[in-house]
Structure formats: structure tokens, C-alpha cells
Amino acid sequence: MIMIRYILHRFMWAIITLWATITITFIIMHSIPGDPFAKEGTMTESMYENLQRYYNLDKPKIVQYVIYLKQVALLDFGPSIKSKTLTVNDYIEKGFPVSFHLGAQAMIIAIFFGLILGVIASLYRNRWPDYTSMIIAIIGISVPSFVLATLLINFLAVKWSFFPVATWKSWSHTVLPSIALAMMPLAYIARLMRTSMIEVLNQDYILTAKAKGLRKNAVIIKHAIRNALMPVVTVLGILTANVVTGSFVIEHIFGIPGIGEMFVKGIMNRDYPVILGSTVFYSAILIFLIFIVDVVYTWIDPRIKVTGASK
Amino acid sequence: MAGKIDVTEEMFAPAENNFLEAEKISRPTISYWNDVWRRLRANKLAMIGLVLIILLCLMAIFGPYMNGFTYYEQDFTKKNLEPNAEHWFGTDASGRDLFTRAWYGARISLFIGLMAALIDFVLGVVYGGISAISGGRTDNVMMRIAEVIYSIPYLLMVILIMVVLRPGIFPIIIAMTITGWIPMARLVRGQVLQLKENEYVQASKAAGAKLSWTLRKHLIPNSMGPILVNVTLTIPTAIFAEATLSFLGLGIQPPQASWGSLTSDALGSILIGNFYQLAIPAFLISLTMFAFNVLGDGLQDALDPKLRE
Amino acid sequence: MKSLLEVKNLRIDFKTYGGEVHAVRGVNFEVKRGETIGIVGESGCGKSVTAKAIMKLLASPPAQYKEGSITYNGIDLIEASEREMERIRGNEISMIFQDPMTSLNPTSKVGMQIMESVLKHNQMTRKKAYNLALDTLKLVGIPQPEKRMEQYPHEFSGGMRQRAMIAMALVCQPKLLIADEPTTALDVTIQAQILELMKDIQKQSETAIILITHDLGVVAEICDRVVVMYAGKVVESGTVLEIFQKPKHPYTKGLLKSVPRFDMDKSVPLAPIIGSPPDLFSPPKGCSFYPRCDYAMKICMEHDPDLEDVGDGQITACWLQHPMAKAMNVKKVINAGGGRTNDNY
């Protein structure tokens, strides 16, 4: 019961955050100097009519805003300025599966290897496996994803031809972008897991477990890792946000037809409906993910259930 | 032992005893900040970071004047030259000297990083401080607002704001600080609340200390640590965000340069084999991120009393 | 009775930034089957380190076994392999820690944490292990044990958690139970309940207990023998009666006098031991208690006294027991510098 109340509470906050994001985005888009929705030379009469119809440009701003909110709630993101036939929804429908595939693959790599590196580092604290893991982690944090991406393309694709240079056709096309995208969260998870493990390993209950005569591995797996995972779970939402925003650049560099690329092209073409639509869509996804992480966290950490909505 | 020593009667005479002697602490005492500095100095990686930061800053100041070229001067007879005696880092597709541009870019990237961190710090301390000191309903509302703004994806907002603003150094700084101050505000609030509850602060209050004294002697020194770490780690985040913006064409516009724009400009050139154009700014960005991150980590470790052994 | 555990001349150092801390500097005592001994002393005197050393739970580094031996049932524990220690821990020797709030794994059900020990040391089905854990919970006086088995530690009160810890320690029927300040972190009323429980366990089982505490009241309540530690050393040991009625070492006397007792005349002030224990970073050359001792003699500054038998198994390490000192009839010294008031703190 408390659990359900907690989930509802978090859900309400997710909705409020989403509303705030849409509102801020709307305000920003409408404060662009000059009218971004003005009829330009390249725009055909029918396209302008589409825009008119969707954004109700003839009505007062506040009415425009209310209607826009309603349309977004119905998952209708409107037409594109630059494309004659495609709507923003069409872009999202085409791009989302690709972006989702890339993001999920990157997150799996990041979590799996990040946790392994972190645990190894903590168990061999101040010895070479620790140093090696932490050097990998520091490189992961220091080298921006676009630098890593270009390095991977330059060496593994152009020079040595292990992987295709760009585009998104087969599984081998997904390898380099996934690695480039995974590196930052991987490094972050590794560092966090290391710190968390070191802290947990100093806890009294680890001593209790050892005093029971459990083997070292059993103590680590059953008692240390599970508790050390808690802080890592809490940052998964933010890390996913990082992967999503990181995907703009990565998709652009590798020429992957995802929403990130659509977003970047939208920016370059000043296609405001696309920018507006994809920002709202992204925010919705991220806020939803953070909500899920919150719920999952309460489910795996038994201590939270009792405190409930007090958070 | 008793068997081996010659015991004489006079040894059993009463001894002068000094209780203050017993209270003497035989371990050398080390003051808090001295100790932090000592531990930071012992951390080789953090020291490498500190030295690198100093070197990068010096180069950002003097580097653009070192070989007689300017960052904007184009020479179409000398396009895409590899590094040589005249152009130490080579030239770009417009024949501009990359050594000068790299350090000019350093200046802009570092300036943006430092300014963003500074503004975040000021906003964060003010907002977080007011929130924590007011307490109650005000605190609650202020933190809810911050929470909502924080849930909006950072880079997405920065990009969106840059779409609206004219690209340039100050618009970039503004875009980054509009949402960037929130972690600092939360941190400051957390620190102040925690310290308000802390027993030594209560003790100081109970002993009749004035608020200003408590602030100066207890609150500020004790909350400085985590805040310092946060500032150190904000700088690379801002540099990274600027690089991403420039990479998307929303950041620094030519002929000006930042590391992000240099990397972005060079992207096309790696396919025609001019890898050096990419390698240099990419390396410098990575080096800077590395330096600030290891220094921040080192500070964090040095400040953590739990790690004092 | 044959001795179950024998600690001989144990020395343990900790490596730190500043140098080596000599935490345990020659500790000797033995525990017989079924007997309860108390180890008393101020904070930092090495009692807990000694306890963890027996279980070999000290992290090394920084801890180092410098000298001495710990013999359990004929096995030298210092030399024992990790595999051997795993068999002994929780099965032959088990341990209860000071703070029940932090000693239980917060993300694991209490029942599971008890069963874990059973499953490790016995060839047993889960069902049987479950029943054994349940019985043990009943034994330590936890009501509704079926429900409690399925709960997490945070759903337990402090006293209940300590009971669960005790259940966890007893579930494999160990021959020796080391209780490291088991009541210190608890409320006074709960303390009494836990002590009562430990007394019951004493009566019902053959388990020997080492009770580590700074609380002399607790010792008087349940111990057979007492070991008094000061600055990493044993300064006196004997039966509870001997220690309480005819203490020989000035430190033991001081400890006893600094505890308020209800039968005391209120007009007589408590007599705290002035000063604090020496820093074990560089312990003094002679007797480590000499700077705080009311009876300090010149010899105490230079030479550390050995433990000597003073009759009936009571042993003490003090120069006052030397025949020459007895002949001189050493009196309590009032120091030249010594206003013996609390001003000295």
C-alpha cells in the first residue's frame, strides 16, 4: 500500500517535471528573435498551412500553448518545416528503434563492464588491477565521446578496416558507436562501484559475514556486491540521460539514422518543429526512465519500503 | 624481565609523578588543511593533474604569441600542412596556424569552464544557502523547483538555449549556467543543513558564539571541502559541454576557435588523412579533462576524514 | 578442566602513516570449556583487537601478528590456513559485535542471514536449516519467529537485532562465543535483557564465553573470571571474587573506585583515574600505568613488571607485589604537582 502511494507520488512528480520541460521548451522556442514559423522562400503554401493548423499561429500565445500541450499529450508532435511529406512523428517512428537499439546496447556494455572493473578495483585496492581499472575509467571520463568516436573510426575503421566506417546496416555497424557511447557511463559506473564497494567492505556486517565462516567469495558476492549496487542504481537514470544526449553526437558522427541525428539535422536546418518535438520526446523518455529507476530502487532496497512517500 | 634486572631497595622509593605528562600527546598533531595538503601532495596522480592545469593555463595565456602567427590569419598557399619547424602543429584547411589556434582555443575553453564553474558556485551558494537557512516551507518550495529544473536533461537544455541565442562565448556560459547551478545548490543546502544539526555547531551555539563566528569558524571551513571538489569537477563538465556545442555547430564560430570547434573542423580531414588536425585538439581536451578529474578526485580523497589513517 | 583457548604473549602492531601502533603488547590468558571470562579495560586498550585477532578477522595490512600464539583446541590459529579458519569461524568460535544496528546486512532477510551459517557448516537441507534457525530465534526469545525470519534488519528494534545476532552466533552451537561489547550500544533496560539471555545460554549450553566490556557491572553479573587490560597488556587477572574483593593492581583498584555503586556513601566522592592511557604509538618504557599511578615508584619508570602469581591463580603485573616493595610498605603518594582534582583534565 505504501509502495503504491510512493509510486503514485513519484509518477505525479514525473508528470510535473515533464510539464515544466514542455513549457520551458515552448517559451524558449517562441522567444527566438524573428518569427521561426514565418513563411520563408523555400516553404510551399501547403506546408505553411500545415504549420498554421498545428501551431495555431493566428491565435494568442496562451491559446497556442494550451492547444500545444493537448497535442503533445496525444503524442502528436506536428509537421516538419523542411520536409514536405514527413511529420515529426514519422521521424520519431523511424528513428526511435535505431536510437533505442544503440542506447540499450551501450548501456548494457557500460553496466556490465563498469561493474566488473569497479569490483575488481575494489578487491585489489592499491594494487595493479586497481590501477589498471582506474586508468581505463579515467580515460573513459577524460576522452569526450566524439573524440573517442573519431579515434575509433580513424584506426579501427579507416586504417585497419576491422569495422565499417559509418551508417547502420548490420550488427558490425553497431559495434563502434556502441563502444564510443558506452565509454563515459562505463567509466562512471566503474568508479562509483569501486568507491561503493570499498565503503561496503568496511561495514560491520561484512565482518559478521566473515565471522560466520563464509568463504571470501561468498562474502563478496552475497553481502558486499548487492549492497554496493545501491548507489549505482540511483545514478542509472542520470547515466541513461547522458547516453541519450551523447547519442546526438555519436549518431551524427557515424551517420546513424536515429532521433539524435534527426535532432542535430533539425538544429542545423533550424527546423524548429523538429527541435521542439524531439526535445519534448527526449525529455519524456528520460523522465520516464528516471521514474522507472526510482521504482526499481525501492523494489531492490528493502529499507525504503517503510519510509515510503517521505522519500 | 624481573629476574634479569638488579633490584635495589632505592628503586622502590616513591617517584615524582606528573599527571600532565600522562596527558601529553606523543603523536605529532597536524592541522586539518595541512593534513589535506599533505595527503593531496602524496597523491601522485592529483599532483600531475595540478601541474598539468598550471601548464595548460600558462600555455593558454602565452601560447598564442609564441610563434608569430595569429589565430585568424589565413594563408591559402599553406593549407593542410603537417607539423613542421614553422608551423609547430601544422595548419588547417584555411592555412591558419594550428599551434596558435590550439592555444587560443585553450584560452576560450578554459575561460568558459572557469566562468561556468564560478557562476554555478555563486548561484549555488546563494540559492542553496538561502534555502537551507530559511528552512520550512520556503526551503521545500525552493528545492522542489530546483528538482524539476534538474530533471530536465542538461545538455538538451543547453542545446535548446543555444539554438535561440546567437553563438558566442557569453551565450554559451549563460546556457550552461541556467541549469548547471543546481547540483551546487543542492550540495550547499545539504552541507548547511547537516552542519546546522552537527553537534559541534550546536556546542558552539550553546557556548554563546555569534552567528558570524559560527559561520566563519565552523560552517565555511567544514563545507568548503565538498564544494571545492564540486567546483573542480564542474570545470571539465563545462569544457565538455562547450566542446559538444561547438561540435554541433552551436558553439564558437570561426575565425575564433575552441578545442571543440577545432575537433569538429578536423573531423572531415581525417578521411583525407590529416589525422594531426584532429589529434592535437582532441588530445588537449582529453588532457584537460584528465587533469581536472584527477585533481578533483585527489581533493575528494584528501578531504575525506574517513580515509585518514 | 582442559583449556579451550590459550592466548600466549600475543603482540599485534598496526602500520599507519606515522609509524607502528603497538595495539596489543603481550597478552596472556586462557579460557576453559564452558567458562565465562570477562576482558575489561578502557577504550583503546586492545580488547577488541585481541578478540578479532582470535577470529583472525583483522585486516592485514595494516594489522600484523608480531609474536605469540593463539591455541584453540590444540590448533594454532595464527598458523592455521584460511580454509581451516573458515571451518572454525561461526562453527567452533563465533562472535557478536558491539553495534547490532550495523552488524546485520540491511538487504538480506534475517532468517537467511542465520541460515547461511548453518548451510555453510552442516550438510543439511534448506528445510532443516530453516527449522534450526527458527528454533534458535525462539531460543533467544524472539516472538513470532516465523514472521521475523522473513523480515529485514531495519524492521527489528535494537534489542531484537542483538538477539538475532546472538541467534546467528549460536545456531551452529559453537564451543566459544566472543561477545565484543554486546550491550554497549543498547538502552539500559534492553542491556539487562540481553545479559539475562546470555546467562541463560551459559546455563543451557556448554559454550564458553569471552565477554569484552568496559562495564564492570556486566562482568560482576555473569563472568567466572576477569582479565584486566591496560594499554595493550594484561595487568591483572583472577576470579570475579578476587578481582572485586582483593584487587592487587592499582589500575584495577582505580577502575573499581571510579564506578558508582548504590551501596556507597554519597558523601564519598567518586575517584576517577586521573589522566588518560598512553598513546600506543610510543608506549612508555616502564610500566605503562606508572604516569597515572598513585603508588608510582622509581623502578616503575624504568622497568615493566611481569605478571606474577599472587596466590590461587590470581596474577598481576605490578612492582608493588615485589617482596622489597612490601617490605618498604609503599604508601599512596601525593604528588608535588598534584592537585588531585578534576582540574587536571
Side-chain angles (χ1 to χ4, degrees):
Chain A
M1 206 43 226
I2 297 168
M3 187 70 179
I4 292 168
R5 256 184 56 203
Y6 176 78
I7 292 174
L8 284 178
H9 180 85
R10 296 308 305 171
F11 189 72
M12 192 190 78
W13 272 104
I15 296 292
I16 292 175
T17 310
L18 187 57
W19 165 78
T21 313
I22 294 171
T23 309
I24 292 171
T25 316
F26 185 87
I27 293 169
I28 292 176
M29 278 296 127
H30 284 266
S31 57
I32 293 173
D35 185 1
F37 303 104
K39 192 164 174 288
E40 285 173 43
T42 54
M43 209 184 278
T44 63
E45 198 59 44
S46 67
M47 279 167 81
Y48 186 68
E49 272 166 25
N50 278 342
L51 274 184
Q52 274 282 16
R53 202 177 319 122
Y54 184 78
Y55 287 101
N56 301 288
L57 298 171
D58 46 349
K59 301 210 171 75
K61 280 264 148 68
I62 182 76
V63 179
Q64 287 184 30
Y65 168 69
V66 173
I67 294 174
Y68 182 70
L69 269 187
K70 212 173 86 188
Q71 282 161 330
V72 167
L74 297 170
L75 299 177
D76 174 10
F77 296 105
S80 152
I81 294 182
K82 301 292 165 185
S83 165
K84 294 187 178 70
T85 48
L86 295 175
T87 63
V88 178
N89 282 52
D90 293 332
Y91 280 120
I92 291 174
E93 268 163 45
K94 264 204 317 187
F96 183 66
V98 175
S99 294
F100 181 78
H101 179 181
L102 174 64
Q105 202 161 299
M107 269 323 267
I108 290 168
I109 294 174
I111 293 171
F112 184 74
F113 289 100
L115 291 182
I116 288 180
L117 281 187
V119 170
I120 289 175
S122 69
L123 295 181
Y124 294 89
R125 195 179 176 190
N126 297 335
R127 276 178 282 166
W128 69 264
D130 183 17
Y131 295 131
T132 315
S133 308
M134 286 307 109
I135 286 170
I136 296 175
I138 285 181
I139 292 173
I141 283 174
S142 304
V143 179
S145 58
F146 56 86
V147 170
L148 184 65
T150 46
L151 287 179
L152 288 175
I153 291 178
N154 187 57
F155 290 104
L156 295 182
V158 176
K159 284 235 171 83
W160 301 325
S161 310
F162 290 148
F163 293 99
V165 175
T167 71
W168 189 262
K169 290 192 186 90
S170 68
W171 182 77
S172 65
H173 288 84
T174 72
V175 176
L176 294 186
S178 301
I179 293 174
L181 197 51
M183 206 52 195
M184 206 286 293
L186 186 157
Y188 196 84
I189 291 174
R191 281 155 51 108
L192 189 59
M193 190 61 185
R194 174 181 181 268
T195 319
S196 176
M197 276 291 285
I198 288 174
E199 199 173 318
V200 167
L201 287 172
N202 281 325
Q203 296 289 320
D204 289 349
Y205 56 80
I206 295 299
L207 211 56
T208 309
K210 280 186 194 157
K212 277 185 223 170
L214 297 187
R215 196 147 296 162
K216 199 182 166 209
N217 287 341
V219 173
I220 290 162
I221 294 166
K222 285 191 195 156
H223 293 273
I225 291 184
R226 169 140 197 203
N227 283 290
L229 273 177
M230 298 297 160
V232 177
V233 174
T234 53
V235 299
L236 277 186
I238 290 170
L239 285 182
T240 316
N242 258 308
V243 164
V244 170
T245 44
S247 71
F248 307 155
V249 176
I250 296 297
E251 288 184 8
H252 184 57
I253 294 175
F254 285 92
I256 297 167
I259 329 182
E261 172 68 347
M262 150 189 135
F263 183 63
V264 173
K265 280 218 179 103
I267 291 169
M268 288 173 170
N269 295 331
R270 303 274 146 170
D271 190 341
Y272 295 106
V274 168
I275 299 175
L276 191 58
S278 40
T279 306
V280 171
F281 181 73
Y282 267 134
S283 308
I285 296 263
L286 288 179
I287 290 164
F288 176 70
L289 279 173
I290 289 171
F291 165 71
I292 294 288
V293 167
D294 263 358
V295 172
V296 168
Y297 188 68
T298 55
W299 174 62
I300 61 169
D301 189 344
R303 280 164 298 185
I304 289 185
K305 280 173 195 153
V306 171
T307 45
S310 69
K311 189 170 167 265
Chain B
M1 236 193 290
K4 277 174 260 160
I5 49 172
D6 287 328
V7 184
T8 58
E9 221 168 76
E10 72 177 71
M11 289 171 93
F12 289 90
E16 274 285 303
N17 210 339
N18 187 352
F19 294 106
L20 296 174
E21 189 76 13
E23 291 282 288
K24 225 166 71 177
I25 297 165
S26 44
R27 221 181 287 227
T29 51
I30 306 165
S31 87
Y32 180 66
W33 288 107
N34 272 341
D35 199 28
V36 168
W37 173 236
R38 185 179 60 82
R39 264 174 300 151
L40 188 64
R41 233 176 19 193
N43 185 338
K44 285 197 198 81
L45 215 50
M47 282 297 111
I48 292 175
L50 186 63
V51 171
L52 279 177
I53 290 168
I54 294 169
L55 285 179
L56 283 164
C57 287
L58 287 176
M59 282 309 285
I61 296 168
F62 301 111
Y65 311 116
M66 278 167 83
N67 68 352
F69 293 97
T70 60
Y71 68 89
Y72 48 83
E73 185 186 339
Q74 302 184 344
D75 184 346
F76 287 101
T77 60
K78 288 179 176 169
K79 285 193 291 188
N80 293 327
L81 289 181
E82 300 245 334
N84 57 51
E86 194 188 358
H87 295 281
W88 298 337
F89 287 175
T91 60
D92 68 3
S94 310
R96 288 178 291 218
D97 177 56
L98 276 177
F99 182 84
T100 309
R101 282 180 75 73
W103 295 115
Y104 181 78
R107 197 183 274 189
I108 290 190
S109 289
L110 287 172
F111 178 74
I112 288 174
L114 290 171
M115 280 307 287
L118 187 71
I119 295 173
D120 281 352
F121 168 74
V122 173
L123 287 178
V125 167
V126 171
Y127 193 93
I130 291 176
S131 185
I133 290 168
S134 319
R137 212 188 179 84
T138 320
D139 179 38
N140 217 338
V141 171
M142 283 177 85
M143 277 302 124
R144 286 300 189 191
I145 293 172
E147 197 182 323
V148 169
I149 300 177
Y150 187 66
S151 308
I152 302 170
Y154 171 72
L155 203 55
L156 209 57
M157 260 307 128
V158 174
I159 290 174
L160 207 60
I161 294 166
M162 286 313 295
V163 170
V164 179
L165 299 175
R166 211 164 23 85
I169 296 177
F170 289 98
I172 291 175
I173 294 173
I174 291 169
M176 281 196 276
T177 44
I178 277 182
T179 55
W181 54 274
I182 292 176
M184 181 62 89
R186 286 175 149 190
L187 181 71
V188 170
R189 174 179 172 272
Q191 287 286 318
V192 175
L193 283 186
Q194 194 191 358
L195 289 170
K196 254 165 85 177
E197 298 302 313
N198 239 333
E199 278 157 17
Y200 61 82
V201 176
Q202 304 272 2
S204 144
K205 253 195 225 160
K210 278 204 199 111
L211 180 66
S212 63
W213 171 269
T214 314
L215 265 174
R216 207 152 32 95
K217 282 282 165 189
H218 296 294
L219 291 179
I220 294 174
N222 282 294
S223 53
M224 242 8 245
I227 291 173
L228 200 64
V229 172
N230 193 289
V231 169
T232 317
L233 295 176
T234 306
I235 296 171
T237 312
I239 292 176
F240 174 76
E242 181 278 323
T244 308
L245 282 180
S246 295
F247 199 82
L248 295 176
L250 291 170
I252 301 299
Q253 302 294 313
Q256 287 192 316
S258 75
W259 287 334
S261 72
L262 288 173
T263 319
S264 169
D265 292 346
L267 186 57
S269 70
I270 59 166
L271 294 175
I272 54 168
N274 293 329
F275 183 63
Y276 67 93
Q277 290 185 6
L278 176 89
I280 289 161
F283 175 73
L284 289 177
I285 291 189
S286 306
L287 200 65
T288 312
M289 304 273 285
F290 168 82
F292 278 105
N293 276 312
V294 293
L295 179 65
D297 282 355
L299 267 177
Q300 196 151 33
D301 288 349
L303 286 161
D304 191 347
K306 272 186 282 180
L307 292 171
R308 283 178 118 176
E309 277 161 28
Chain C
M1 266 194 290
K2 214 181 124 218
S3 85
L4 181 67
L5 179 84
E6 200 172 4
V7 176
K8 263 192 191 153
N9 197 27
L10 184 67
R11 301 180 80 91
I12 294 167
D13 285 359
F14 283 88
K15 275 216 155 89
T16 66
Y17 268 128
E20 286 185 350
V21 172
H22 311 283
V24 172
R25 309 183 298 137
V27 163
N28 296 281
F29 65 89
E30 61 169 350
V31 184
K32 298 196 177 73
R33 281 178 201 282
E35 128 182 284
T36 301
I37 78 155
I39 300 184
V40 264
E42 287 165 277
S43 327
C45 73
K47 348 177 261 264
S48 285
V49 174
T50 307
K52 284 181 186 149
I54 296 170
M55 293 285 270
K56 284 181 75 183
L57 286 175
L58 292 170
S60 171
Q64 281 178 310
Y65 291 86
K66 278 282 172 191
E67 223 186 297
S69 66
I70 303 170
T71 317
Y72 167 80
N73 234 353
I75 310 165
D76 183 351
L77 295 185
I78 292 179
E79 296 298 322
S81 66
E82 190 52 29
R83 180 75 32 117
E84 181 75 20
M85 283 313 298
E86 280 164 10
R87 192 188 63 76
I88 292 172
R89 285 185 201 128
N91 190 26
E92 304 257 341
I93 311 177
S94 56
M95 193 159 176
I96 308 169
F97 298 96
Q98 177 171 349
D99 190 353
M101 300 318 240
T102 57
S103 300
L104 288 164
N105 183 345
T107 59
S108 177
K109 285 176 184 164
V110 171
M112 189 56 225
Q113 294 189 52
I114 299 171
M115 281 164 66
E116 211 172 29
S117 192
V118 184
L119 290 169
K120 160 80 195 180
H121 297 293
N122 300 289
Q123 304 292 343
M124 214 182 249
T125 59
R126 277 183 90 85
K127 181 79 198 128
K128 275 191 177 162
Y130 178 88
N131 288 333
L132 185 57
L134 196 69
D135 290 343
T136 318
L137 276 184
K138 266 182 217 154
L139 179 80
V140 298
I142 290 183
Q144 291 180 284
E146 288 87 356
K147 199 177 143 212
R148 290 298 196 173
M149 288 281 284
E150 299 303 318
Q151 287 186 330
Y152 289 95
H154 70 266
E155 295 167 88
F156 280 52
S157 67
M160 281 296 152
R161 282 191 207 194
Q162 198 60 301
R163 282 175 196 268
M165 277 298 292
I166 293 173
M168 204 178 291
L170 289 180
V171 72
C172 290
Q173 288 157 326
K175 297 198 176 61
L176 176 63
L177 173 68
I178 302 172
D180 187 356
E181 309 248 9
T183 58
T184 309
L186 302 172
D187 284 346
V188 182
T189 47
I190 311 291
Q191 278 187 14
Q193 290 173 16
I194 296 292
L195 281 182
E196 208 53 44
L197 173 63
M198 292 191 63
K199 268 192 194 165
D200 286 348
I201 291 162
Q202 242 179 338
K203 271 184 232 143
Q204 287 171 20
S205 67
E206 283 290 278
T207 304
I209 300 177
I210 298 179
L211 181 74
I212 291 168
T213 180
H214 61 262
D215 187 340
L216 286 169
V218 171
V219 171
E221 188 96 346
I222 63 172
C223 293
D224 302 319
R225 283 194 306 122
V226 187
V227 174
V228 181
M229 279 184 72
Y230 184 77
K233 288 190 160 198
V234 173
V235 292
E236 182 157 21
S237 79
T239 64
V240 169
L241 270 182
E242 285 165 342
I243 295 295
F244 278 79
Q245 287 181 353
K246 48 182 185 86
K248 298 289 188 215
H249 198 283
Y251 177 64
T252 315
K253 290 180 189 168
L255 269 186
L256 288 166
K257 271 190 234 155
S258 61
V259 181
R261 291 210 313 249
F262 70 92
D263 58 350
M264 240 160 44
D265 184 351
K266 283 206 186 82
S267 62
V268 179
L270 282 177
I273 305 174
I274 310 287
S276 50
D279 194 338
L280 292 177
F281 184 67
S282 54
K285 188 175 159 206
C287 170
S288 44
F289 187 61
Y290 125 82
R292 301 167 79 187
C293 184
D294 286 340
Y295 304 91
M297 298 176 292
K298 283 187 175 148
I299 190 169
C300 307
M301 290 166 75
E302 298 298 323
H303 305 284
D304 202 7
D306 282 346
L307 281 169
E308 303 283 351
D309 201 322
V310 289
D312 300 336
Q314 184 180 4
I315 51 175
T316 190
C318 182
W319 286 117
L320 289 172
Q321 300 309 317
H322 195 275
M324 276 190 201
K326 285 187 169 156
M328 303 250 319
N329 197 12
V330 178
K331 284 276 172 349
K332 191 166 167 173
V333 190
I334 301 296
N335 283 278
R340 287 236 157 139
T341 56
N342 284 349
D343 294 356
N344 272 338
Y345 283 111

